[in-house]
Amino acid sequence: MKKLFFALFMSFSVMAGAQSNTDTITGFLDGIINFQEVEVNDHNPIISIGELAAQQADETITLTGENVSETFTKAMDYTHALMVVGIHTVVLVTSWEDCAQSGAWDACMPMGEGFVKRDALEKESGYINNIIGIPDNQERKVYLFK
């Protein structure tokens, strides 16, 4: 009986410590996007992030294989560069200096971190080409914040 109570206690402790998708994303983007008086889609908060970023960014650019170098040059003049791929990936550039040449993008791809929505939100970090994929017909938006 003691083992049953211990197992239940541990289960509740783990569940109480788990963050919701909304908590995870709002904490990640705290100070960049204003979440006050906004309801975030907890099942897939990346949908909400794309909408909020579009409203709050100082500049928005659609990223393509053709404009990647020009976009990154412009983005370096901003405090934050946030990328959203479709409704499944959000990436924040963490270092423009640390970059790796990408053959697919034909550009030096900076370091970043973010989340990919699969069954759950999964944290990703590394060179952003490994997070945002290769240039294709998916919509990739870059939101720039001063």
Side-chain angles (χ1 to χ4, degrees):
M1 191 66 149
K2 287 182 183 179
K3 288 182 182 179
L4 176 63
F5 284 120
F6 180 73
L8 287 173
F9 174 75
M10 291 305 293
S11 296
F12 286 123
S13 296
V14 169
M15 289 178 7
Q19 285 189 317
S20 70
N21 286 337
T22 299
D23 292 340
T24 299
I25 287 291
T26 56
F28 174 66
L29 296 173
D30 185 39
I32 300 170
I33 292 182
N34 180 354
F35 292 97
Q36 292 181 340
E37 301 177 23
V38 175
E39 189 167 326
V40 175
N41 178 334
D42 190 58
H43 175 68
N44 188 352
I46 296 171
I47 295 170
S48 300
I49 296 306
E51 294 168 357
L52 290 170
Q55 296 168 5
Q56 298 177 22
D58 294 298
E59 186 164 352
T60 301
I61 302 169
T62 299
L63 185 67
T64 65
E66 291 78 34
N67 74 356
V68 66
S69 293
E70 176 185 320
T71 298
F72 288 174
T73 299
K74 180 178 276 196
M76 288 180 204
D77 293 333
Y78 289 80
T79 305
H80 300 287
L82 179 70
M83 298 178 195
V84 175
V85 181
I87 60 170
H88 56 78
T89 302
V90 61
V91 178
L92 187 61
V93 173
T94 58
S95 174
W96 292 106
E97 292 79 33
D98 185 3
C99 67
Q101 189 63 35
S102 167
W105 285 96
D106 194 27
C108 199
M109 302 300 278
M111 286 293 286
E113 63 181 13
F115 292 90
V116 176
K117 175 72 169 101
R118 294 185 177 99
D119 289 337
L121 283 179
E122 295 180 18
K123 186 155 177 92
E124 300 283 338
S125 62
Y127 296 109
I128 65 167
N129 56 310
N130 296 323
I131 304 171
I132 67 170
I134 61 172
D136 58 17
N137 62 355
Q138 288 190 84
E139 183 175 69
R140 290 175 176 82
K141 294 284 188 176
V142 179
Y143 301 100
L144 303 174
F145 299 87
K146 292 186 180 190

